[in-house]
Amino acid sequence: MEVVSSSHSFLAFHRTPSSAWRFPVNGLGPGHAKLTRPRRSAILCVGGSGTASNPADSGEVHVSNGFYVSDVDAALQGIPKKAGEIEKMIIPGLPEGPQSSLISTGFWEWKPKLTVYYEKSGSQNSKAPAVLFLPGFGVGTFHFEKQLKDLGRDYKVWTTDFLGQGMSLPCEDPAPSNTIGEFADDDAFWGFGQELQPWAEELVYSIDLWRDQVQHFIEEVIGEPVYIVGNSLGGFVALYLAASCPHLVKGVTLLNATPFWGFLPNPARSPRLSKIFPWAGTFPLPSIVRKLTETVWQKISDPRSIQGILKQVYADHSTDVDNVFSRIMETTQHPAAAASFASMMCAPKGQISFEEALSRCQMQGTPISLMYGREDPWVRPIWGIKVKKQVPESPYYEISPAGHCPHDEVPEVINYLLRGWLKNVESEDSIEIPFLEDPNYAEDGVSRELEFVREGSKKSVRVRLFGSKISLWGQVSTFLKYGLSNKRLEWTI
């Protein structure tokens, strides 16, 4: 494990001129499926954080002209076989035992009393791209274990817990109580008192805080621009950061990204309107909020509630979610968890919306890929299609069966698609995006069955690459098919 202080590292970037990252005017039409991008300018890294003591750090990797190679590259091409009208492809399974990349952990002190937990893998791949995974709401770094162990063989892979979640909860009470017996469980909850600590005066667990957290984490800990892969809430944060700091983000992959976060108006965007609301997620919590939180928290932190949610968001109920369940339960037992949850639920919206962030990324030329589980009951397929319509040049893969967390449910598929997309962007389009070997697929799309071996048994899922031509009927058809399949899922639960 390593501990990194924000005061002990810094980064200076040679910024690529913004104009160099823009699409040509004629390159944004729906008929263009490839990204048109110039070669990148050099990046200067000054200083940097220390690295963890990890056996993996002394490993060797074969490098050719700064581009990574591995023993699974050949398998990435797949072995196509015809299966009716759907082409079947064999893709690699997850590595096991010594073949897996080792994971190291660390804590980074961003601000006084605000410490961020992170995990990393593949430190030995010094010339490979850096990839940062951002989790969804209520989970953390543990949700990307399958990516760190697999993709860490070829890349420098990182993941971090958002402040207020996972293992990035405060180690001190932000608002301790100065009275005794104010609530039935005074010792069980932090942040329920009125004695506000100086370090928590401006603390709000908002999407703006998480955007700033990830920005400084890249600058001070990772030390180089990254590709960001975000699931659910993490997808929104990834897109938000890419729109705000394009010099830090080489590309974004959205995994069932939530297209909205927060209900209250943002003070910077709507100062007058925001004044109408007396509380917006700050500490200390008002009395009525404390009482409501105590009641709600008892229900949502109940093991049966968490089990029910996991059963709802995972389409394949044979998926082992024991580790996910136990880690979520661990977090709920932290004394700061309830007050942090209340702050998140009442925090204001971000300074820009999801759609605005997406538009900025497109104007800046930020590469984007979309990988969505089709049976997601929360971020339904219609949301993924809507994003695809806004950025028609970006590949959109719809995976079935898979729910809200495809990276954990079908990691073999996500890792395969990610490897292919990263190689495409790094090679500046000289290596084709997965499924786009035939130019016609860029407009019309294609469906394939991907088969892999998991724990000695064959499994397969269907993956559809949507083309740039998405008709209104296609959207309605997808919605109707989803509705019917969702009903069937409900009947089996």
Side-chain angles (χ1 to χ4, degrees):
M1 180 178 293
E2 63 182 355
V3 178
V4 180
S5 171
S6 61
S7 61
H8 293 150
S9 62
F10 62 94
L11 175 70
F13 286 108
H14 173 67
R15 296 186 59 173
T16 304
S18 59
S19 59
W21 289 85
R22 297 182 182 275
F23 285 104
V25 175
N26 296 326
L28 290 174
H32 293 263
K34 285 189 175 182
L35 299 168
T36 304
R37 301 167 56 250
R39 296 189 179 274
R40 300 182 183 86
S41 300
I43 297 170
L44 174 65
C45 296
V46 183
S49 61
T51 56
S53 178
N54 181 0
D57 294 337
S58 60
E60 295 182 356
V61 64
H62 299 288
V63 179
S64 175
N65 296 326
F67 197 82
Y68 58 93
V69 297
S70 76
D71 56 356
V72 298
D73 279 353
L76 289 177
Q77 302 303 318
I79 304 173
K81 298 178 181 179
K82 290 293 180 181
E85 296 182 357
I86 303 297
E87 188 176 282
K88 180 182 288 187
M89 295 180 63
I90 310 298
I91 64 172
L94 296 178
E96 298 179 358
Q99 295 180 337
S100 300
S101 180
L102 295 179
I103 299 174
S104 61
T105 64
F107 285 93
W108 165 58
E109 186 181 27
W110 176 29
K111 296 180 180 180
K113 311 300 181 182
L114 295 181
T115 301
V116 174
Y117 174 78
Y118 65 91
E119 295 183 358
K120 66 178 181 178
S121 180
S123 299
Q124 73 277 8
N125 303 322
S126 59
K127 294 186 179 180
V131 185
L132 173 63
F133 288 87
L134 299 181
F137 173 68
V139 289
T141 57
F142 58 84
H143 222 199
F144 293 111
E145 180 181 355
K146 297 165 185 174
Q147 280 67 48
L148 267 67
K149 287 184 175 181
D150 184 6
L151 297 175
R153 299 183 297 166
D154 302 305
Y155 305 93
K156 299 187 292 287
V157 185
W158 303 75
T159 182
T160 180
D161 288 348
F162 288 129
L163 283 167
Q165 303 185 52
M167 294 178 66
S168 293
L169 284 157
C171 56
E172 291 184 16
D173 193 338
S177 176
N178 54 10
T179 61
I180 299 175
E182 187 176 354
F183 293 99
D185 297 315
D186 279 336
D187 295 334
F189 297 108
W190 286 1
F192 276 33
Q194 293 297 315
E195 194 177 327
L196 181 63
Q197 297 298 307
W199 61 270
E201 286 181 355
E202 297 182 359
L203 178 62
V204 181
Y205 291 116
S206 67
I207 197 164
D208 283 323
L209 174 74
W210 298 323
R211 189 275 314 270
D212 293 344
Q213 170 196 333
V214 177
Q215 175 189 341
H216 287 92
F217 183 78
I218 295 171
E219 293 175 341
E220 299 172 15
V221 181
I222 298 179
E224 63 178 292
V226 300
Y227 291 96
I228 306 185
V229 183
N231 171 234
S232 191
L233 168 63
F236 195 155
V237 177
L239 202 65
Y240 194 175
L241 178 66
S244 308
C245 305
H247 62 290
L248 297 179
V249 182
K250 298 170 71 176
V252 173
T253 294
L254 302 180
L255 306 175
N256 290 74
T258 179
F260 36 76
W261 188 264
F263 301 101
L264 302 185
N266 187 283
R269 185 164 182 165
S270 307
R272 292 183 180 179
L273 187 59
S274 64
K275 290 180 181 179
I276 298 175
F277 300 89
W279 186 70
T282 55
F283 291 88
L285 278 62
S287 177
I288 188 172
V289 174
R290 296 198 301 270
K291 294 176 181 178
L292 180 61
T293 299
E294 192 173 14
T295 302
V296 172
W297 186 251
Q298 289 176 354
K299 293 182 179 180
I300 65 172
S301 62
D302 185 281
R304 291 169 297 182
S305 298
I306 295 172
Q307 287 173 340
I309 291 173
L310 291 176
K311 192 174 182 181
Q312 183 183 24
V313 299
Y314 280 76
D316 182 357
H317 294 163
S318 68
T319 305
D320 184 3
V321 295
D322 289 348
N323 181 56
V324 175
F325 172 76
S326 62
R327 294 297 295 273
I328 293 175
M329 285 302 303
E330 240 178 76
T331 301
T332 63
Q333 302 306 310
H334 194 287
S340 300
F341 170 77
S343 176
M344 291 176 213
M345 292 298 98
C346 295
K349 298 178 182 179
Q351 294 185 30
I352 61 175
S353 67
F354 184 89
E355 292 77 13
E356 290 170 328
L358 195 60
S359 295
R360 288 191 189 184
C361 286
Q362 187 182 44
M363 291 177 62
Q364 292 161 180
T366 304
I368 296 174
S369 65
L370 314 166
M371 302 174 191
Y372 282 56
R374 184 175 180 272
E375 284 75 31
D376 186 349
W378 295 347
V379 182
R380 300 190 174 192
I382 195 71
W383 291 107
I385 293 175
K386 185 176 180 181
V387 175
K388 170 65 177 176
K389 290 283 286 185
Q390 190 171 341
V391 283
E393 70 280 358
S394 299
Y396 169 50
Y397 301 92
E398 192 175 86
I399 307 163
S400 181
H404 188 59
C405 313
H407 60 284
D408 191 47
E409 196 168 3
V410 283
E412 299 87 351
V413 174
I414 294 299
N415 295 357
Y416 167 76
L417 295 175
L418 270 176
R419 273 192 170 97
W421 179 73
L422 289 168
K423 287 186 176 183
N424 169 264
V425 180
E426 283 292 300
S427 68
E428 299 184 340
D429 300 328
S430 63
I431 297 177
E432 293 290 350
I433 290 174
F435 291 26
L436 281 184
E437 311 83 37
D438 187 326
N440 293 327
Y441 296 158
E443 292 188 356
D444 302 327
V446 63
S447 293
R448 286 179 178 166
E449 183 181 348
L450 301 189
E451 185 178 284
F452 51 89
V453 175
R454 181 187 295 175
E455 297 178 350
S457 301
K458 288 184 180 180
K459 291 184 71 72
S460 64
V461 298
R462 185 165 294 187
V463 180
R464 178 183 179 187
L465 172 68
F466 279 70
S468 57
K469 292 181 179 178
I470 303 179
S471 64
L472 177 61
W473 168 244
Q475 297 180 55
V476 173
S477 176
T478 298
F479 179 76
L480 291 175
K481 287 179 182 178
Y482 169 80
L484 292 174
S485 63
N486 192 41
K487 287 297 180 185
R488 286 195 293 270
L489 282 172
E490 289 175 358
W491 293 335
T492 60
I493 291 177

